[in-house]
Amino acid sequence: KYEMKSKTYIKYMLSITLVILFLSLNIINFLETKKINNLPIVQDINSINVILGLISIPTCLLYYYMYKNNEFFILKLSYISIFIEYIFVNYIIKDIGLSEYLITFPFVIRKENSGTFHMKKTAKFFVIRIVLLTIAIFNESKYANKIVKNKKISIIIIIIINIIGTYLEIKLNLINILVKRNTIIWYILQGSLLLYYTLLLLKLTKRCIIKNEFIYTIFIGTISIFTIRRLFYFNIFNNVFNNVLVYNSILTFIAYIILIAGLYIEMIRRIELNNILNNQVNNLMGFEKKYNEIKEIEKAKTQFFANLSHEIKTPINIIYSCFQLLDINKGKGETELWNSYNKYYGTIKQNCYRLLRLVNNLVDITKIDSGFMKLNFINYEIVSLVEDITLSIVPYVESKNITVLFDTYVEELVIKCDPESLERVILNLLSNAVKFSNENGNITVLLDANKDFVIIKVKDDGIGIAPEVSDYVFERFAQEDKSFNRKKEGSGIGLSLVKSLVELHGGVVYLEKNVEQGCEFVIKLPNKILDESKNEEIKSIDIDNKPLIQKVNIEFSDIYELY
């Protein structure tokens, strides 16, 4: 879309330039000087052009800094030359003792004793601009690079050359001497310069179309208008020399307006382009961000399935090994078989529980992901529920001399909840606390409530969780130690399941930060009761009504040191 707009703008600007040039060469024949001179804007045209010239020079510099194009800086020097010439021939000449000259740009018209006018031609400024335009078009040359590299010096040199050159040319009347000697040579010189300059402008137009840059048309249009005035040197316009004074000033005004208006248009276009590029960059960054997220998820999944295979394979290998030993001892008689059975019974049972725990977690995670997990909500006394679960693990931690403490600020409180899913939540957090607690450690479960929430805190003084992992502990497949030879077993989905079950209650769970030792998980459940008069959709989760001791066995099955 932006490229199409550029082509449209270029087409219109080049067409407008051709129209202006055509009208410039024809309207002068129909101008009535007296009427035009009475217009307010024409009376102040020279002052207006000086102001516009002062604005146009930094405008060209803005073009250069917008595009960082050597061409645009060198073309800026041409506009400096044009401005100096305009100032010199319209203001300064009168102050250097040449009041007999009536000055216009680019003419010097002198009143003779006979009452007629003789036109003296000047060419120095025009030659300088031809040289600058040539260097600009061949902007990769060593001259262009040297000019751009020494910007300040280049500007000073152009100013000095124009001022001194103009003064000497007019003061010494050099052109008049040349004209008297050979008028034909003069016209050949002027025609050749104009032809060469036209070819340069055509080359600049070609570059504009190839690069599809609207900014080139601004320079082409303004330089063409400034150049069209050179045609009035030729005798074919002698019949309208009275109109030339004001006409050249009007053309200068039009050229400056196009230059400044072009900057405004180009600034709007650059803003539009920047917005397009920013949107593309944002989309690209969003896509990269999404790609990285997907990559991390896939990496986590790969690690999860690798650990999951380890989680499944380990208990199966242990169970299979036990059966192999039982099979060996079967042939040694009933006594040996019975002794072997008693020896390996606990190991087989523990690893069966471990597989059952893993399967339960996977089934429930799948249900949650698919949106089919709904809890069986009832009004239940939460304090005794949490207390019973906490105290039920005491026999399991005696081997590690871990002290388990339950405390509450509320003696009795009934809330809307699913008791079985809350049992799993509390047991999972307690299992983690036991797993990462050292011998002689302490585990504390604290219950409190306010008018909005029931707050359950499970705290231990064990090895804790690294800060860089703490923000991700509830994410799926997250584990602090993902290696196969990690010290503690686990699939990495337990805390993710805890988070999902708590959120299905309308609550939140998080890891408390800035804990000095160990870690502390906080659960907040809504302090609400179920309106039993309403028919709420009820669906039990896929858990058998097992005794609490069996649920503890299942949840603690991957802590081998307890068995």
Side-chain angles (χ1 to χ4, degrees):
K1 186 178 178 181
Y2 180 82
E3 296 295 327
M4 291 300 296
K5 280 188 176 181
S6 294
K7 291 180 180 179
T8 303
Y9 288 154
I10 290 171
K11 181 174 67 175
Y12 286 151
M13 188 61 196
L14 291 177
S15 300
I16 291 171
T17 299
L18 290 174
V19 170
I20 291 175
L21 295 179
F22 175 79
L23 293 176
S24 299
L25 293 172
N26 290 277
I27 292 179
I28 190 171
N29 295 306
F30 306 101
L31 287 178
E32 295 185 24
T33 308
K34 291 183 179 179
K35 291 183 178 180
I36 293 177
N37 285 333
N38 290 330
L39 296 174
I41 190 171
V42 173
Q43 293 175 3
D44 298 320
I45 193 73
N46 286 335
S47 300
I48 293 172
N49 284 342
V50 170
I51 295 172
L52 293 177
L54 291 172
I55 297 173
S56 297
I57 291 172
T59 295
C60 297
L61 195 59
L62 282 176
Y63 284 137
Y64 167 71
Y65 283 113
M66 283 169 60
Y67 289 91
K68 291 296 181 182
N69 189 322
N70 291 352
E71 292 169 283
F72 299 159
F73 179 79
I74 298 170
L75 290 172
K76 166 191 168 64
L77 299 179
S78 294
Y79 288 103
I80 291 175
S81 173
I82 291 170
F83 179 72
I84 291 174
E85 182 180 7
Y86 192 88
I87 293 292
F88 207 101
V89 298
N90 283 280
Y91 291 96
I92 299 177
I93 287 296
K94 297 177 182 179
D95 299 327
I96 60 175
L98 299 176
S99 56
E100 73 273 15
Y101 285 90
L102 298 175
I103 305 301
T104 183
F105 177 69
F107 297 99
V108 181
I109 302 178
R110 181 182 177 187
K111 188 173 182 180
E112 305 288 355
N113 294 331
S114 60
T116 62
F117 287 86
H118 178 69
M119 296 173 58
K120 301 185 186 295
K121 295 84 177 175
T122 61
K124 186 177 293 294
F125 285 116
F126 193 46
V127 173
I128 292 173
R129 290 196 285 277
I130 288 176
V131 172
L132 289 174
L133 184 57
T134 303
I135 295 173
I137 289 176
F138 300 99
N139 58 5
E140 299 299 328
S141 67
K142 62 179 181 180
Y143 302 107
N145 293 330
K146 189 171 290 186
I147 289 173
V148 175
K149 185 178 180 180
N150 303 283
K151 297 181 184 65
K152 293 181 180 178
I153 296 175
S154 300
I155 293 172
I156 292 171
I157 290 174
I158 286 297
I159 293 173
I160 291 173
I161 289 176
N162 278 272
I163 292 175
I164 294 177
T166 303
Y167 177 80
L168 291 176
E169 186 173 331
I170 296 177
K171 186 71 174 177
L172 300 178
N173 206 13
L174 296 177
I175 297 302
N176 187 45
I177 296 172
L178 291 174
V179 170
K180 286 182 178 179
R181 289 181 179 178
N182 198 331
T183 304
I184 296 176
I185 294 177
W186 171 258
Y187 284 115
I188 292 174
L189 174 63
Q190 284 293 314
S192 299
L193 290 176
L194 280 171
L195 178 61
Y196 179 70
Y197 206 63
T198 302
L199 293 175
L200 291 177
L201 287 175
L202 290 175
K203 187 172 182 61
L204 196 61
T205 303
K206 181 180 178 181
R207 183 171 298 178
C208 165
I209 295 171
I210 293 173
K211 289 189 174 184
N212 196 29
E213 290 287 355
F214 170 71
I215 182 63
Y216 282 97
T217 61
I218 303 301
F219 293 118
I220 293 168
T222 53
I223 292 174
S224 298
I225 293 171
F226 282 126
T227 305
I228 200 71
R229 299 170 307 175
R230 307 298 304 183
L231 293 175
F232 298 125
Y233 280 170
F234 295 94
N235 289 334
I236 57 174
F237 292 101
N238 282 349
N239 59 321
V240 293
F241 70 87
N242 288 328
N243 298 337
V244 169
L245 288 169
V246 65
Y247 195 60
N248 279 283
S249 296
I250 292 173
L251 290 178
T252 301
F253 173 80
I254 293 172
Y256 280 143
I257 288 295
I258 291 175
L259 191 65
I260 296 170
L263 175 64
Y264 173 79
I265 295 171
E266 194 61 18
M267 289 292 287
I268 297 297
R269 283 170 42 76
R270 294 296 292 183
I271 292 171
E272 181 184 3
L273 178 60
N274 286 336
N275 289 337
I276 294 172
L277 294 176
N278 287 336
N279 290 335
Q280 291 176 348
V281 169
N282 290 334
N283 292 337
L284 181 60
M285 290 178 65
F287 172 77
E288 287 175 351
K289 183 179 179 181
K290 190 68 176 176
Y291 169 77
N292 290 331
E293 289 177 357
I294 294 172
K295 188 176 178 181
E296 288 299 318
I297 291 173
E298 290 302 317
K299 182 180 178 181
K301 283 183 178 180
T302 302
Q303 186 68 52
F304 165 72
F305 286 115
N307 288 340
L308 185 61
S309 65
H310 174 72
E311 286 290 308
I312 295 173
K313 185 178 180 180
T314 299
I316 289 176
N317 283 339
I318 293 173
I319 294 171
Y320 181 65
S321 297
C322 290
F323 275 113
Q324 283 181 316
L325 291 171
L326 288 172
D327 192 53
I328 292 171
N329 289 314
K330 183 175 63 172
K332 296 180 180 180
E334 292 184 1
T335 303
E336 286 294 329
L337 179 60
W338 179 252
N339 291 335
S340 295
Y341 173 76
N342 288 331
K343 181 178 180 180
Y344 301 118
Y345 166 78
T347 302
I348 294 172
K349 184 178 180 181
Q350 178 195 3
N351 284 278
C352 286
Y353 282 152
R354 184 175 173 189
L355 288 172
L356 183 59
R357 176 178 185 266
L358 181 60
V359 171
N360 284 339
N361 286 345
L362 288 173
V363 168
D364 290 336
I365 281 293
T366 304
K367 285 184 177 182
I368 289 169
D369 286 345
S370 60
F372 289 106
M373 185 72 161
K374 292 190 178 179
L375 305 186
N376 186 15
F377 289 112
I378 60 173
N379 289 328
Y380 201 87
E381 207 281 297
I382 188 68
V383 180
S384 60
L385 175 67
V386 176
E387 183 178 12
D388 291 343
I389 297 170
T390 304
L391 298 180
S392 70
I393 76 165
V394 172
Y396 292 84
V397 298
E398 288 178 349
S399 61
K400 291 183 71 173
N401 295 320
I402 294 174
T403 301
V404 179
L405 175 67
F406 173 78
D407 196 7
T408 178
Y409 294 100
V410 182
E411 293 302 323
E412 186 176 308
L413 180 64
V414 175
I415 67 168
K416 170 189 171 183
C417 67
D418 176 5
E420 288 191 9
S421 63
L422 284 186
E423 282 181 350
R424 294 188 67 185
V425 168
I426 303 300
L427 280 174
N428 189 289
L429 295 181
L430 288 172
S431 172
N432 279 329
V434 173
K435 191 182 300 183
F436 296 102
S437 290
N438 299 317
E439 287 197 12
N440 303 312
N442 298 281
I443 297 174
T444 303
V445 178
L446 178 65
L447 190 146
D448 195 4
N450 55 39
K451 65 178 183 178
D452 297 317
F453 294 102
V454 175
I455 303 160
I456 305 168
K457 298 182 179 180
V458 180
K459 186 180 185 309
D460 66 76
D461 56 3
I463 61 176
I465 297 176
E468 61 270 17
V469 181
S470 61
D471 291 334
Y472 309 102
V473 291
F474 292 103
E475 290 187 7
R476 191 74 51 82
F477 319 123
Q479 287 178 314
E480 184 167 10
D481 184 359
K482 301 183 188 306
S483 61
F484 287 142
N485 59 349
R486 59 190 184 276
K487 296 179 180 179
K488 306 297 180 183
E489 301 290 348
S491 61
I493 58 176
L495 287 176
S496 175
L497 181 60
V498 165
K499 181 174 182 287
S500 298
L501 291 174
V502 171
E503 288 177 347
L504 286 173
H505 278 77
V508 293
V509 60
Y510 58 89
L511 179 65
E512 190 70 70
K513 296 184 179 180
N514 302 320
V515 176
E516 292 183 2
Q517 186 177 359
C519 61
E520 179 178 340
F521 287 92
V522 180
I523 301 170
K524 287 187 174 181
L525 301 173
N527 189 358
K528 296 179 180 178
I529 61 172
L530 179 65
D531 186 355
E532 297 179 351
S533 63
K534 294 182 178 179
N535 294 322
E536 294 197 1
E537 183 180 356
I538 297 174
K539 183 178 180 182
S540 297
I541 60 174
D542 190 18
I543 300 177
D544 297 331
N545 290 322
K546 306 178 182 70
L548 182 56
I549 187 170
Q550 187 175 356
K551 295 175 183 176
V552 176
N553 283 330
I554 294 173
E555 198 62 49
F556 280 49
S557 60
D558 58 354
I559 309 176
Y560 284 107
E561 58 265 39
L562 300 183
Y563 287 85

